[in-house]
Amino acid sequence: MTAPLIAVWSPKGGVGKTFLAAGLALHLQRRCPQGAILVDLDAGKSDLPALLKTSPRPSILDAADGSGRLVKHPTGLAILAGPPRLVEEGLVTAELTAGVLDQLLAGDQPVVVDLAAQLRDSTLTTLERADVVLLVTTPDLLSIWACRRFIQEAELIGLSLAHWKLVVNRELDEMPIPLTEIRELIGLPMAGVIPDLPPLAKAVNSGMITALGHTNTEFAFSIHEITNRFGLRQIPLIHMPGAHRVEPSATGLMAAFKRWWRNV
């Protein structure tokens, strides 16, 4: 049995897909007995090392011949970073992507991939192979328009949407565009919603993202609900309890960041 591939993508930048991919992978690491793998295929940004305070090397470029090793996060999550240099973005081809995914999916760990907003060859290769694609939008006109436009044109590039699900990020108490209308406009089944949580930005800046992956936060509970809707039999999930609000501390921002920076 091969591992499932879960792609997190949006045609609109700034909707929180990288944070969602990281949170999802951290949650699966806790819920899956065999752990999980997180891959950075947003080659033009490669933000995951900064977000998770891990080394940007070895990267996906080192994994091309099968000799690269995955970086381990303190939680045990295995991470494959994107190219460490911006000028190496073009080296992440469809062929390299397919080869790396073949290696990772040969095991039994679910693989979560953070994808670039642009429809690069590496992005299309991953979207075509994914067992689940989480399409991320925020509840605003421009994000919804970008997703709707893509859905209308997906058939033209030969993409099947059979395994695609919608995630609405930054849900507000009073939505400018109701969820029912967002679902109708985009036309995909809903995987879940993530509430607008001010502590998320605080957690990123203070290096506290791992705390938000614990089971006693609203963010973790939202991710928990999304994974329960995957319907992937390849993922044996350990039951986790519910959640309540936790405000991560914003102290130690520069100290945590400088410790990471020195090791990059």
Side-chain angles (χ1 to χ4, degrees), residues 19-36:
F19 196 97
L20 174 60
L24 175 60
L26 286 167
H27 189 68
L28 287 174
Q29 174 65 29
R30 288 173 56 82
R31 292 193 66 187
C32 299
Q34 69 273 33

PDB file of all heavy atoms in Angstrom, residues 19-36:
ATOM      1  N   PHE A  19       0.808  27.942   5.629  1.00  0.00           N
ATOM      2  CA  PHE A  19       0.515  27.708   7.042  1.00  0.00           C
ATOM      3  C   PHE A  19      -0.400  26.504   7.204  1.00  0.00           C
ATOM      4  O   PHE A  19      -0.216  25.676   8.102  1.00  0.00           O
ATOM      5  CB  PHE A  19      -0.137  28.956   7.639  1.00  0.00           C
ATOM      6  CG  PHE A  19      -0.131  28.976   9.138  1.00  0.00           C
ATOM      7  CD1 PHE A  19       0.847  29.655   9.836  1.00  0.00           C
ATOM      8  CD2 PHE A  19      -1.098  28.302   9.858  1.00  0.00           C
ATOM      9  CE1 PHE A  19       0.859  29.669  11.224  1.00  0.00           C
ATOM     10  CE2 PHE A  19      -1.097  28.303  11.242  1.00  0.00           C
ATOM     11  CZ  PHE A  19      -0.114  28.986  11.923  1.00  0.00           C
ATOM     12  N   LEU A  20      -1.382  26.388   6.318  1.00  0.00           N
ATOM     13  CA  LEU A  20      -2.303  25.246   6.370  1.00  0.00           C
ATOM     14  C   LEU A  20      -1.556  23.944   6.103  1.00  0.00           C
ATOM     15  O   LEU A  20      -1.772  22.943   6.801  1.00  0.00           O
ATOM     16  CB  LEU A  20      -3.424  25.429   5.351  1.00  0.00           C
ATOM     17  CG  LEU A  20      -4.388  24.251   5.191  1.00  0.00           C
ATOM     18  CD1 LEU A  20      -5.096  23.941   6.499  1.00  0.00           C
ATOM     19  CD2 LEU A  20      -5.402  24.529   4.091  1.00  0.00           C
ATOM     20  N   ALA A  21      -0.669  23.936   5.095  1.00  0.00           N
ATOM     21  CA  ALA A  21       0.096  22.719   4.780  1.00  0.00           C
ATOM     22  C   ALA A  21       0.952  22.307   5.969  1.00  0.00           C
ATOM     23  O   ALA A  21       1.012  21.123   6.330  1.00  0.00           O
ATOM     24  CB  ALA A  21       0.967  22.949   3.549  1.00  0.00           C
ATOM     25  N   ALA A  22       1.617  23.282   6.597  1.00  0.00           N
ATOM     26  CA  ALA A  22       2.449  22.971   7.757  1.00  0.00           C
ATOM     27  C   ALA A  22       1.607  22.465   8.923  1.00  0.00           C
ATOM     28  O   ALA A  22       1.956  21.481   9.586  1.00  0.00           O
ATOM     29  CB  ALA A  22       3.243  24.215   8.173  1.00  0.00           C
ATOM     30  N   GLY A  23       0.486  23.130   9.183  1.00  0.00           N
ATOM     31  CA  GLY A  23      -0.387  22.702  10.268  1.00  0.00           C
ATOM     32  C   GLY A  23      -0.963  21.316  10.028  1.00  0.00           C
ATOM     33  O   GLY A  23      -1.051  20.496  10.947  1.00  0.00           O
ATOM     34  N   LEU A  24      -1.322  21.041   8.790  1.00  0.00           N
ATOM     35  CA  LEU A  24      -1.857  19.733   8.441  1.00  0.00           C
ATOM     36  C   LEU A  24      -0.807  18.642   8.635  1.00  0.00           C
ATOM     37  O   LEU A  24      -1.086  17.576   9.201  1.00  0.00           O
ATOM     38  CB  LEU A  24      -2.334  19.750   6.989  1.00  0.00           C
ATOM     39  CG  LEU A  24      -2.822  18.432   6.403  1.00  0.00           C
ATOM     40  CD1 LEU A  24      -4.011  17.899   7.189  1.00  0.00           C
ATOM     41  CD2 LEU A  24      -3.189  18.617   4.937  1.00  0.00           C
ATOM     42  N   ALA A  25       0.420  18.901   8.178  1.00  0.00           N
ATOM     43  CA  ALA A  25       1.494  17.911   8.325  1.00  0.00           C
ATOM     44  C   ALA A  25       1.832  17.669   9.790  1.00  0.00           C
ATOM     45  O   ALA A  25       2.034  16.521  10.212  1.00  0.00           O
ATOM     46  CB  ALA A  25       2.729  18.370   7.563  1.00  0.00           C
ATOM     47  N   LEU A  26       1.882  18.725  10.589  1.00  0.00           N
ATOM     48  CA  LEU A  26       2.152  18.571  12.018  1.00  0.00           C
ATOM     49  C   LEU A  26       1.041  17.763  12.697  1.00  0.00           C
ATOM     50  O   LEU A  26       1.305  16.937  13.580  1.00  0.00           O
ATOM     51  CB  LEU A  26       2.284  19.943  12.680  1.00  0.00           C
ATOM     52  CG  LEU A  26       3.575  20.713  12.393  1.00  0.00           C
ATOM     53  CD1 LEU A  26       3.440  22.168  12.836  1.00  0.00           C
ATOM     54  CD2 LEU A  26       4.769  20.061  13.072  1.00  0.00           C
ATOM     55  N   HIS A  27      -0.184  17.999  12.277  1.00  0.00           N
ATOM     56  CA  HIS A  27      -1.302  17.275  12.862  1.00  0.00           C
ATOM     57  C   HIS A  27      -1.252  15.798  12.474  1.00  0.00           C
ATOM     58  O   HIS A  27      -1.469  14.920  13.315  1.00  0.00           O
ATOM     59  CB  HIS A  27      -2.613  17.903  12.413  1.00  0.00           C
ATOM     60  CG  HIS A  27      -3.813  17.369  13.121  1.00  0.00           C
ATOM     61  ND1 HIS A  27      -4.054  17.605  14.457  1.00  0.00           N
ATOM     62  CD2 HIS A  27      -4.836  16.582  12.706  1.00  0.00           C
ATOM     63  CE1 HIS A  27      -5.174  17.011  14.824  1.00  0.00           C
ATOM     64  NE2 HIS A  27      -5.671  16.375  13.774  1.00  0.00           N
ATOM     65  N   LEU A  28      -0.954  15.508  11.211  1.00  0.00           N
ATOM     66  CA  LEU A  28      -0.845  14.117  10.774  1.00  0.00           C
ATOM     67  C   LEU A  28       0.327  13.421  11.451  1.00  0.00           C
ATOM     68  O   LEU A  28       0.275  12.213  11.719  1.00  0.00           O
ATOM     69  CB  LEU A  28      -0.696  14.051   9.258  1.00  0.00           C
ATOM     70  CG  LEU A  28      -1.955  14.368   8.454  1.00  0.00           C
ATOM     71  CD1 LEU A  28      -1.644  14.418   6.967  1.00  0.00           C
ATOM     72  CD2 LEU A  28      -3.057  13.348   8.738  1.00  0.00           C
ATOM     73  N   GLN A  29       1.398  14.175  11.733  1.00  0.00           N
ATOM     74  CA  GLN A  29       2.523  13.597  12.460  1.00  0.00           C
ATOM     75  C   GLN A  29       2.076  13.084  13.820  1.00  0.00           C
ATOM     76  O   GLN A  29       2.528  12.029  14.291  1.00  0.00           O
ATOM     77  CB  GLN A  29       3.629  14.648  12.613  1.00  0.00           C
ATOM     78  CG  GLN A  29       4.808  14.239  13.472  1.00  0.00           C
ATOM     79  CD  GLN A  29       5.600  13.081  12.887  1.00  0.00           C
ATOM     80  OE1 GLN A  29       5.643  12.915  11.668  1.00  0.00           O
ATOM     81  NE2 GLN A  29       6.213  12.269  13.730  1.00  0.00           N
ATOM     82  N   ARG A  30       1.173  13.817  14.461  1.00  0.00           N
ATOM     83  CA  ARG A  30       0.666  13.416  15.772  1.00  0.00           C
ATOM     84  C   ARG A  30      -0.366  12.301  15.666  1.00  0.00           C
ATOM     85  O   ARG A  30      -0.467  11.462  16.544  1.00  0.00           O
ATOM     86  CB  ARG A  30       0.032  14.625  16.476  1.00  0.00           C
ATOM     87  CG  ARG A  30       1.035  15.651  16.963  1.00  0.00           C
ATOM     88  CD  ARG A  30       0.327  16.884  17.496  1.00  0.00           C
ATOM     89  NE  ARG A  30      -0.630  16.603  18.555  1.00  0.00           N
ATOM     90  CZ  ARG A  30      -0.318  16.436  19.836  1.00  0.00           C
ATOM     91  NH1 ARG A  30       0.940  16.528  20.218  1.00  0.00           N
ATOM     92  NH2 ARG A  30      -1.244  16.193  20.730  1.00  0.00           N
ATOM     93  N   ARG A  31      -1.135  12.308  14.578  1.00  0.00           N
ATOM     94  CA  ARG A  31      -2.248  11.372  14.468  1.00  0.00           C
ATOM     95  C   ARG A  31      -1.893  10.045  13.802  1.00  0.00           C
ATOM     96  O   ARG A  31      -2.621   9.065  13.956  1.00  0.00           O
ATOM     97  CB  ARG A  31      -3.398  12.024  13.694  1.00  0.00           C
ATOM     98  CG  ARG A  31      -4.061  13.164  14.436  1.00  0.00           C
ATOM     99  CD  ARG A  31      -5.367  13.542  13.777  1.00  0.00           C
ATOM    100  NE  ARG A  31      -6.357  12.474  13.880  1.00  0.00           N
ATOM    101  CZ  ARG A  31      -7.541  12.492  13.283  1.00  0.00           C
ATOM    102  NH1 ARG A  31      -7.878  13.524  12.528  1.00  0.00           N
ATOM    103  NH2 ARG A  31      -8.391  11.501  13.430  1.00  0.00           N
ATOM    104  N   CYS A  32      -0.819  10.024  13.015  1.00  0.00           N
ATOM    105  CA  CYS A  32      -0.464   8.806  12.281  1.00  0.00           C
ATOM    106  C   CYS A  32       0.652   8.064  13.011  1.00  0.00           C
ATOM    107  O   CYS A  32       1.693   8.658  13.304  1.00  0.00           O
ATOM    108  CB  CYS A  32      -0.005   9.144  10.869  1.00  0.00           C
ATOM    109  SG  CYS A  32      -1.255   9.971   9.879  1.00  0.00           S
ATOM    110  N   PRO A  33       0.474   6.794  13.286  1.00  0.00           N
ATOM    111  CA  PRO A  33       1.517   6.035  13.982  1.00  0.00           C
ATOM    112  C   PRO A  33       2.857   6.071  13.255  1.00  0.00           C
ATOM    113  O   PRO A  33       3.915   6.055  13.880  1.00  0.00           O
ATOM    114  CB  PRO A  33       0.948   4.613  14.025  1.00  0.00           C
ATOM    115  CG  PRO A  33      -0.525   4.782  13.884  1.00  0.00           C
ATOM    116  CD  PRO A  33      -0.721   5.973  13.007  1.00  0.00           C
ATOM    117  N   GLN A  34       2.827   6.135  11.919  1.00  0.00           N
ATOM    118  CA  GLN A  34       4.057   6.113  11.136  1.00  0.00           C
ATOM    119  C   GLN A  34       4.616   7.509  10.869  1.00  0.00           C
ATOM    120  O   GLN A  34       5.665   7.644  10.251  1.00  0.00           O
ATOM    121  CB  GLN A  34       3.819   5.388   9.793  1.00  0.00           C
ATOM    122  CG  GLN A  34       2.908   6.139   8.829  1.00  0.00           C
ATOM    123  CD  GLN A  34       1.443   5.839   9.034  1.00  0.00           C
ATOM    124  OE1 GLN A  34       1.005   5.602  10.155  1.00  0.00           O
ATOM    125  NE2 GLN A  34       0.673   5.847   7.959  1.00  0.00           N
ATOM    126  N   GLY A  35       3.930   8.571  11.334  1.00  0.00           N
ATOM    127  CA  GLY A  35       4.415   9.925  11.102  1.00  0.00           C
ATOM    128  C   GLY A  35       3.989  10.456   9.746  1.00  0.00           C
ATOM    129  O   GLY A  35       3.167   9.859   9.050  1.00  0.00           O
ATOM    130  N   ALA A  36       4.551  11.598   9.345  1.00  0.00           N
ATOM    131  CA  ALA A  36       4.162  12.254   8.101  1.00  0.00           C
ATOM    132  C   ALA A  36       5.362  12.961   7.484  1.00  0.00           C
ATOM    133  O   ALA A  36       6.399  13.151   8.130  1.00  0.00           O
ATOM    134  CB  ALA A  36       3.026  13.249   8.353  1.00  0.00           C
TER     135      ALA A  36
END
